[in-house]
Amino acid sequence: MVPSTPTPPQKPFSLISSHADTACASIVLPLANSPAGHRLGVNGLAVDSERSILYSGGRDGVICAWDLRFDLKTGASSTSNPFSSPEDPPITSDSTKPRTSFRNQVQAHTHWVNDIILTQSNTALVSASSDITVKVWRPHSEDGQSATTIGLHSDYVKCLATPGPQSDWVASGGLDHKIRLWDLNGGGEKLQIAAGEDESSAKGSVYALSVRGSIIASGGPESIVRLWDPKSGKRITKFVGHTDNIRDILINQNGDTIMTASSDQTIKVWSMAAGRCMHTLTMHNDSVWSLYSDHPQLSVFYSSDRSGLVAKTDVRGNSDMDEGISVAVAQEHEGVDKVVVAGDYLWTATSSSSINRWMDVDTEAEVQTPESPRQQRIASLATVEKVPSPPFTGKARNKTDIGNKIPFASVLRISNTAPFTISKVRDAEVATVYSVMGARKLSEAVVESDVGIVYPVHSLPEETIEGQNGLIKHVMLNDRKRVLTLDTAGEVMLWDLLKGVPVQSFGKRHLEDVTPEVNSMESVANWCGVDTRTGWLAIILEENNCFDAEMYADEVTLPEHTSFREDQRINLGKWVLRYIFASLVEEEIKRDEAYRANVLMNHHKSGLRRDNAPMPIKLPTTQANGSQQNEDDRDAVTTPKPTNGFHYPAVTPGLSIGVATPGVLPASFSSAMQNHLPSTAEEANHLEKRRSHSSNPRTSGDYFSSVPPANQQAGSAKATENINGSEPQMEAIPQSPTEPEKDPKSGSLFGKKFRMSFPKKLGRSSVEVKPTVVDDKSEESDKGSEREDKIVEDNFFGIIQKIRHDYDEQLLANPSDTLPAGINPSLPNETPVLKPPPFTTVIIQEDRPDSGGVVDLYRGTVESVGRDANVIEKTAPMWLGDLLLRNQIPFKETVKVSFVLQPYQDLLPSIASADGNSRLNANRMLRAKKILAYVAERIEPQPEHAEPSALKPEEYLDLLCQDKVIPHTMTLATLRAHVWKTGGDVMLYYKSNGRKADLEKRLAEPVAEVAGVSSTNAV
C-alpha cells in the first residue's frame, strides 16, 4: 500500500456564528515548519498487523498513522539482511534496527481523542472524542485526508467497541450515560441504551465497553459491570464486586468469561455460567487503566496501571489462575492509558506525546533463581583470579544478559492467595529451604525477605516514536491582539493573533514572569476566545462579541503607502475574518460576475431590452487610492473587486467630498459613493462652526451630535467624536457603503419584507444594519399583490440569494446593458491587508444545546476556503456572508463611559451647561485628545482656518484623573480600567500646561468682568 502524502500539521482558528442554532468559527494557528506527530498525550492505540501500521489518537485531536517497517507476523524487519544466518554474531548497532516512520495524520477532532478502534478489515478507524462526536477515518481510501462524523453523544465519548474485525457497526459509550450503536455505512444510530440504573443516576457514565457476539459489557463509576443484548438493548445481567471506577473490559471468544480492570487496583474474572466473580487478581498496586489480549480464552493478557507498570499474565495450562505467572514487562514514567501488542512488541500510550515500543517477554521461559550466599562462596573459592559475581542489585537486565530466563525480581504475585511459580524454580538450595519450611510456601519465605520491590524486565524501550511540544497554557494580554503561551517543554512564546504567527520566543521561563514584561496598560473589549486544550492555539469567534473590539490605525504596523484618516479605528474581528476568507471572497466575486453576465444575456434574449439604448461608457480602472494599476504593481496586495464598469474614486471616508471624476455616475451610486466607507462615531455628524462657550452658550446637552445648518453640513470637512450630554440626542447615520439610498416604496419585495434600516445610533467602524419587520398588508397593497415574497436560506447562501433577487428587481425596474455588482467587500483602507499562513485551519461549528456540545460543520484551511465555496455557502452563517460580501456587521448598541469634566482648581472656565451639569458620556474608545479638543472649542474661539504652526489642543491642555496626567492617546475604557479603577462616573479635570502663554489669564478676565457686573447689580 502506497502511503498517503503527509499533510503539514495545522493549528485551528475557530469562528462561532448564529446559524440555526448558535454556530461558531475557529481558527487554529500553525507553527512554521512544524513536524508531524502528537503535541499532547496519547490516549488511544491500534495496530494493523496486516499492513504493519500503528495508529494513535491523541489529546490534540489528531489521529496519526505510523509505518512500523517490520513484519508483525514473523517479527522480521523490512530492512533485514536476507543473507544473514542465525550463527552470525549479534549486531548491536542502532542503525540496523527498524525505525518507525510517519505515514499520515488527520486533525479529526477539536478535543481529546479518548479511544480508537480498527474495524472493517482494518480499513476503517473509528475514533471517540470529548468533542461529543464519533468519527470514522478511512486512511486507505481516495478521500483519506478527512474523517466523517457518524454519530453524536450529548457529552464526552469515552470508549468504543466492535464485535469483530468484519463488523459493520460499532458501539460507543460516554458521560451522557448512553451506549449507542452506529452503522459504519452511513445508516446513523442503530440502537441507544441507557447505561445507568435510571435517568437520574449521577454515576451512569460509561468508561469501559466491550462487545462479543450477543453481549455488550459496560462499566463506569458505579463499579458495576452490566451486560446488554445488542439487538434489543435490554439488560441481561449485572456483576457487582468492584469498589471503584471500571476502566476496561475484555470478553473471551465464547462469551462466557469477562475480565474487568478497575481503579480499585484489581482485575476480576467473571463467569457468565456461574454469574459471579471467579478470580480477583492483585498484581497491581495502583489503579488499573488498560487491558489487552488477543488470546481467544484470555489466557494471556496484558495490563497497565496509573503508576506506569505494564504486566503480562500467562495462565495457560493451569487449572487455577493463581498458578499462572505474571511478569513486570516495562515501567513508564507516567500512567499508561493504553497498551497494545502485535508480533514480538508492545506499545504504550501515556500523557506524553511520545509512544514507546517495548520487547515482549516470553512467559513460557524459566524463571531465574535469585543467587544465594552459598553459591557466591563456592564461586569465590573456585578460582582466585575470577571476580565473584555480585548479588542481584535490582537493576533491570536486557534479554541478552539473562538469556531466555525471566528475572525473579520481575515476577509479580498474581493474587493475594497465589504463591510464586515454584515449578519454574530449579535451584537445589531453594528446594531445600522449601522442604525445611514444611507447610510454609516458598512465596511466603521470599516475600518476607524482600517485600514489594519489583523490577521490570526492560528498563528502556526498544524505540520511542517522538512527539512534539504542545501548548498547555496561555494568557491573553490587555491589547487583545497578543497571547503568551507555554508549551510542554516549558518554552514561552508570544503570538500575534491578527497575523496568526508567533513573533517572539522567551525560552524556558515561567509564564507569570514574562507576562508583566510584555503586557500593556490598555482596555480592549473581548472579541475572541482563545483555547489551547488540543495543544494548538485556537481563536474562537462568535457573532455576539467578535465585532466588539476596535483599535486605532496608528497603533498598527501597516505596509508602506497605506494612508488612513486621523483617529480611524479598525474593527478587529472584521479585519481578521476579511482575510481568513479572502480566497472565498475572490471565488464569490468570480461567480457573481458569471451570474450577472448570464442574467443579462437571458434578459436580452427575452426581448425586454429597450430599442436604441445607448451603449455604456467604460471608465478607466483605478485603485483604491485613485491611481491606475501598472504592470509592476500586479503583485501588490489589493482587495479583489468586481469589474462592473464602475470604480469608486478615492474619497475621505465618512465625508461627502470626493475626487472629481470625468463622468456622471449612475444614479444608483450617487449616495453609495459619498458614503462608500463607514464612519466611526466621531464622523457620524459634520462639525459645526462654533463660537466660544462664553459668547455662544449651549442650548443642547449633546455637542457633537447636534445637526448643523444645511450650508455648514455641505461644506464641513472635519469629523468629531460624539459626546452626549445630559440630554441625549438622536444621531444622524451615514448611508450604507454597499447599498444605494432607495425610496421606501421601491426595491425588491424581499427588501420590503425584511427592510434593512439604519439605526439611530452608530458606534461601530462598519455599517450596522438592523432588520425591521414591515406590515405585510401595507406592502402588498403597495404592489397590488403582484408577486409573492421571496424566501432565502438561513445561511451564507441566503445573502447570495438576496443579492441575486436585487439583480432581478433592478432589471425589472430599469432594464440596461449593465448590472452593478452587489458584492462589495471591505477595502484595504478600511481593513488593511493581512496574510495569514495558508495552512491555518478554519473550522465552522454549530452549537447544539440539545446535544450538549459543538459540532463541526466545515473544516478546511485558509488556502482551501475558496475551493470549498459550495460547502461553506451551505454551512456558514448568514452574518458571515453579510460581512464578507456586503461589508455589514450586526447592529449592537455602543458601549459608552460616563464622566464628569471640570476645570482643574477653576483656573479655566467651566464647560458646564446653564444648569451647572458637567456630566457627559462618550464611546469607550474615545481618546483623551478628543476630550481636550472638546474643551478647547468651548473655552475660547477657534479660528475658521487654523495656521499650520498653531498648537493643537492636546499640546497646550492636559487632562487629569486621580491627579495623574493622562496620555493623549489613552481611551476612556483604558482610563477607567487602569487609572480610575472604581465605579461611578469618572472624574476628569482639564488645565493649561503653560505652552500657550497667558491662556489662564486671558480666559479669566471675561469671567471676572461678568462676576463684577453681577455684584454691581446685586448692590
Side-chain angles (χ1 to χ4, degrees):
M1 185 70 186
V2 180
S4 304
T5 304
T7 57
Q10 303 161 0
K11 280 199 170 185
F13 159 90
S14 265
L15 173 84
I16 300 185
S17 60
S18 298
H19 167 224
D21 297 322
T22 302
C24 62
S26 300
I27 309 168
V28 184
L29 306 182
L31 280 171
N33 302 319
S34 178
H38 293 289
R39 294 192 167 273
L40 295 179
V42 181
N43 287 339
L45 295 173
V47 180
D48 181 356
S49 300
E50 297 291 333
R51 301 177 178 86
S52 295
I53 300 175
L54 173 69
Y55 295 97
S56 58
R59 300 178 184 181
D60 53 3
V62 173
I63 299 175
C64 293
W66 310 90
D67 273 321
L68 299 177
R69 302 180 64 186
F70 53 81
D71 191 346
L72 291 176
K73 294 182 177 180
T74 63
S77 168
S78 60
T79 59
S80 60
N81 184 2
F83 302 102
S84 61
S85 169
E87 299 178 358
D88 293 340
I91 301 175
T92 59
S93 174
D94 290 340
S95 61
T96 62
K97 296 180 180 179
R99 306 297 299 178
T100 300
S101 61
F102 173 76
R103 179 184 179 92
N104 197 5
Q105 75 176 28
V106 60
Q107 183 74 47
H109 296 277
T110 56
H111 211 312
W112 286 19
V113 176
N114 295 316
D115 197 9
I116 59 174
I117 191 170
L118 281 167
T119 186
Q120 291 189 329
S121 301
N122 296 337
T123 60
L125 182 80
V126 184
S127 57
S129 171
S130 294
D131 64 7
I132 74 168
T133 64
V134 179
K135 294 190 177 184
V136 60
W137 178 38
R138 303 184 186 276
H140 307 292
S141 64
E142 294 181 359
D143 185 21
Q145 300 302 317
S146 61
T148 304
T149 301
I150 60 173
L152 289 173
H153 280 253
S154 58
D155 208 334
Y156 293 0
V157 191
K158 298 295 292 184
C159 51
L160 295 168
T162 182
Q166 308 297 330
S167 176
D168 60 353
W169 62 272
V170 295
S172 62
L175 303 188
D176 58 355
H177 305 183
K178 295 290 191 300
I179 300 172
R180 302 172 190 262
L181 276 57
W182 309 101
D183 186 354
L184 291 175
N185 298 320
E189 185 178 284
K190 296 168 64 71
L191 182 66
Q192 180 181 134
I193 302 172
E197 289 286 355
D198 52 66
E199 292 294 332
S200 61
S201 174
K203 293 186 177 181
S205 301
V206 181
Y207 276 76
L209 202 61
S210 186
V211 181
R212 181 74 71 176
S214 59
I215 297 176
I216 297 178
S218 67
E222 289 181 298
S223 309
I224 300 174
V225 182
R226 291 187 174 87
L227 306 182
W228 313 88
D229 183 353
K231 294 183 179 179
S232 64
K234 295 181 179 180
R235 195 182 73 187
I236 300 173
T237 186
K238 67 178 180 180
F239 295 137
V240 180
H242 281 295
T243 59
D244 207 336
N245 189 12
I246 298 173
R247 300 297 298 266
D248 209 350
I249 300 177
L250 297 177
I251 304 176
N252 71 345
Q253 189 173 28
N254 299 331
D256 56 8
T257 301
I258 297 173
M259 183 178 292
T260 57
S262 171
S263 294
D264 63 9
Q265 305 180 9
T266 67
I267 298 173
K268 290 183 180 290
V269 181
W270 311 82
S271 171
M272 286 289 293
R276 64 182 180 88
C277 176
M278 304 300 294
H279 302 280
T280 298
L281 310 181
T282 58
M283 71 281 289
H284 291 276
N285 292 322
D286 213 328
S287 299
V288 187
W289 284 358
S290 176
L291 292 173
Y292 178 88
S293 178
D294 54 6
H295 193 278
Q297 299 304 320
L298 307 182
S299 298
V300 180
F301 64 91
Y302 301 79
S303 55
S304 63
D305 63 25
R306 185 172 59 183
S307 69
L309 177 66
V310 180
K312 179 180 181 181
T313 305
D314 187 349
V315 296
R316 289 175 293 182
N318 297 291
S319 58
D320 190 348
M321 293 192 74
D322 289 348
E323 298 177 0
I325 183 173
S326 184
V327 180
V329 178
Q331 177 69 51
E332 283 279 11
H333 297 290
E334 296 128 336
V336 178
D337 293 291
K338 192 73 173 180
V339 57
V340 294
V341 182
D344 295 332
Y345 302 100
L346 55 92
W347 290 263
T348 54
T350 66
S351 58
S352 168
S353 59
S354 299
I355 303 169
N356 286 328
R357 172 168 62 90
W358 308 80
M359 281 293 299
D360 200 356
V361 174
D362 183 8
T363 50
E364 293 184 319
E366 232 178 87
V367 176
Q368 185 187 30
T369 306
E371 212 168 56
S372 64
R374 178 181 176 184
Q375 288 175 321
Q376 295 181 26
R377 289 195 300 270
I378 295 174
S380 62
L381 294 174
T383 174
V384 178
E385 289 79 6
K386 291 185 179 180
V387 179
S389 301
F392 183 71
T393 61
K395 294 182 180 180
R397 288 171 280 184
N398 293 329
K399 197 171 182 179
T400 55
D401 298 331
I402 61 176
N404 292 326
K405 292 185 178 181
I406 300 172
F408 187 79
S410 301
V411 178
L412 302 170
R413 195 174 184 185
I414 290 184
S415 70
N416 294 330
T417 60
F420 281 98
T421 310
I422 302 173
S423 60
K424 297 188 179 182
V425 179
R426 302 302 181 190
D427 186 80
E429 184 175 353
V430 176
T432 304
V433 172
Y434 175 72
S435 62
V436 173
M437 298 286 297
R440 293 186 65 187
K441 296 181 180 179
L442 171 65
S443 60
E444 296 173 356
V446 174
V447 169
E448 286 178 359
S449 62
D450 196 4
V451 178
I453 300 178
V454 176
Y455 299 95
V457 175
H458 303 300
S459 58
L460 295 173
E462 285 285 309
E463 181 191 10
T464 297
I465 304 174
E466 294 291 345
Q468 309 304 321
N469 296 319
L471 305 181
I472 56 176
K473 195 174 181 181
H474 69 274
V475 173
M476 174 77 84
L477 300 182
N478 290 338
D479 58 12
R480 298 286 174 180
K481 61 182 181 181
R482 296 178 302 154
V483 172
L484 276 177
T485 59
L486 177 71
D487 65 16
T488 50
E491 183 177 2
V492 177
M493 191 86 70
L494 180 65
W495 293 76
D496 187 326
L497 297 184
L498 303 179
K499 298 178 181 178
V501 294
V503 294
Q504 186 178 357
S505 173
F506 295 90
K508 295 185 178 181
R509 298 180 58 186
H510 291 290
L511 193 63
E512 295 77 10
D513 296 337
V514 180
T515 302
E517 298 177 9
V518 296
N519 216 348
S520 57
M521 193 173 70
E522 296 180 65
S523 179
V524 179
N526 185 24
W527 64 282
C528 69
V530 176
D531 184 19
T532 54
R533 66 187 178 188
T534 59
W536 306 97
L537 182 61
I539 308 171
I540 305 171
L541 299 180
E542 301 182 80
E543 179 193 9
N544 60 351
N545 66 355
C546 73
F547 301 114
D548 288 354
E550 295 176 321
M551 65 182 301
Y552 284 89
D554 56 18
E555 299 174 347
V556 186
T557 303
L558 300 173
E560 296 182 3
H561 312 297
T562 304
S563 59
F564 291 91
R565 63 187 181 274
E566 183 183 5
D567 291 332
Q568 178 176 335
R569 296 199 298 265
I570 303 173
N571 189 292
L572 298 185
K574 174 182 175 181
W575 192 10
V576 170
L577 289 172
R578 170 63 181 85
Y579 292 102
I580 285 292
F581 292 97
S583 63
L584 173 65
V585 174
E586 294 177 7
E587 177 65 24
E588 293 297 347
I589 288 175
K590 294 177 182 177
R591 295 186 179 190
D592 183 70
E593 291 176 353
Y595 178 84
R596 285 185 287 115
N598 185 57
V599 167
L600 287 173
M601 182 178 64
N602 294 335
H603 182 68
H604 295 161
K605 288 181 179 179
S606 64
L608 296 178
R609 184 187 179 195
R610 181 166 56 89
D611 295 335
N612 301 321
M615 297 300 293
I617 300 175
K618 185 172 181 60
L619 298 179
T621 302
T622 60
Q623 301 299 313
N625 59 7
S627 61
Q628 294 188 4
Q629 185 176 5
N630 301 324
E631 291 291 332
D632 298 336
D633 298 334
R634 289 186 177 179
D635 295 333
V637 180
T638 59
T639 302
K641 298 179 287 296
T643 304
N644 53 25
F646 172 76
H647 299 268
Y648 291 121
V651 299
T652 303
L655 303 182
S656 58
I657 300 177
V659 179
T661 54
V664 179
L665 299 177
S668 59
F669 285 89
S670 59
S671 61
M673 182 188 69
Q674 295 177 7
N675 299 285
H676 82 279
L677 283 181
S679 60
T680 54
E682 64 263 30
E683 288 115 17
N685 299 280
H686 298 287
L687 174 65
E688 66 172 317
K689 299 177 182 178
R690 296 177 178 269
R691 295 186 295 274
S692 66
H693 170 71
S694 57
S695 61
N696 184 15
R698 288 167 53 195
T699 58
S700 171
D702 190 351
Y703 167 66
F704 287 100
S705 62
S706 59
V707 181
N711 58 344
Q712 295 182 16
Q713 191 174 20
S716 174
K718 290 184 179 181
T720 56
E721 189 77 22
N722 174 31
I723 302 182
N724 294 334
S726 58
E727 300 176 5
Q729 302 290 324
M730 304 304 292
E731 301 172 12
I733 303 301
Q735 184 67 25
S736 165
T738 58
E739 293 184 357
E741 187 175 359
K742 296 181 181 179
D743 184 81
K745 293 187 178 181
S746 64
S748 64
L749 286 178
F750 182 86
K752 292 189 173 186
K753 178 72 175 178
F754 303 96
R755 180 171 299 150
M756 310 305 280
S757 62
F758 297 106
K760 295 296 182 181
K761 294 185 179 181
L762 179 66
R764 306 170 78 95
S765 63
S766 185
V767 177
E768 301 172 340
V769 293
K770 189 175 183 180
T772 303
V773 179
V774 183
D775 188 280
D776 289 345
K777 294 182 179 180
S778 62
E779 296 301 335
E780 290 173 359
S781 62
D782 291 341
K783 284 292 182 181
S785 304
E786 295 178 359
R787 294 183 296 272
E788 296 182 357
D789 292 337
K790 297 180 180 179
I791 301 175
V792 298
E793 298 180 21
D794 184 20
N795 52 26
F796 190 99
F797 188 68
I799 300 299
I800 299 176
Q801 290 177 313
K802 289 183 180 181
I803 294 173
R804 293 178 178 178
H805 292 165
D806 288 342
Y807 291 156
D808 297 338
E809 297 295 332
Q810 290 180 38
L811 287 177
L812 289 174
N814 184 23
S816 67
D817 290 334
T818 60
L819 194 58
I823 295 181
N824 297 282
S826 62
L827 302 178
N829 55 357
E830 183 185 358
T831 50
V833 175
L834 294 174
K835 295 182 179 179
F839 289 108
T840 300
T841 302
V842 179
I843 308 169
I844 298 177
Q845 302 170 312
E846 187 176 67
D847 187 11
R848 297 182 179 176
D850 56 336
S851 299
V854 177
V855 179
D856 291 359
L857 301 178
Y858 166 78
R859 179 185 289 270
T861 64
V862 169
E863 188 179 47
S864 69
V865 291
R867 299 192 299 268
D868 300 335
N870 291 336
V871 179
I872 295 177
E873 287 177 357
K874 298 299 181 182
T875 57
M878 182 176 285
W879 66 261
L880 183 61
D882 247 338
L883 170 68
L884 298 178
L885 304 184
R886 304 203 296 186
N887 194 24
Q888 296 177 356
I889 62 177
F891 171 75
K892 194 172 185 180
E893 289 290 342
T894 303
V895 179
K896 295 187 177 182
V897 175
S898 298
F899 58 95
V900 177
L901 189 58
Q902 295 179 348
Y904 181 73
Q905 297 180 353
D906 293 327
L907 297 176
L908 293 176
S910 173
I911 63 168
S913 59
D915 58 358
N917 182 21
S918 58
R919 184 176 183 270
L920 306 168
N921 65 72
N923 190 312
R924 68 191 306 273
M925 291 299 293
L926 181 72
R927 279 177 163 175
K929 65 179 183 179
K930 285 290 185 179
I931 300 177
L932 293 176
Y934 174 81
V935 171
E937 289 196 5
R938 276 160 174 70
I939 63 176
E940 65 173 343
Q942 297 294 312
E944 293 186 9
H945 303 286
E947 297 180 2
S949 59
L951 293 176
K952 297 180 180 179
E954 64 267 22
E955 294 175 341
Y956 63 87
L957 292 175
D958 283 342
L959 191 67
L960 289 83
C961 180
Q962 302 282 42
D963 294 327
K964 296 179 181 179
V965 177
I966 304 302
H968 301 153
T969 57
M970 182 178 287
T971 64
L972 278 174
T974 302
L975 189 151
R976 183 182 187 89
H978 298 284
V979 181
W980 182 244
K981 297 181 181 179
T982 186
D985 293 342
V986 180
M987 294 297 301
L988 299 178
Y989 299 91
Y990 55 90
K991 71 171 186 176
S992 172
N993 59 15
R995 293 192 63 186
K996 201 166 187 179
D998 301 329
L999 176 64
E1000 295 178 358
K1001 184 178 181 180
R1002 285 190 297 103
L1003 295 179
E1005 290 176 356
V1007 176
E1009 293 175 1
V1010 173
V1013 171
S1014 300
S1015 300
T1016 302
N1017 293 336
V1019 174

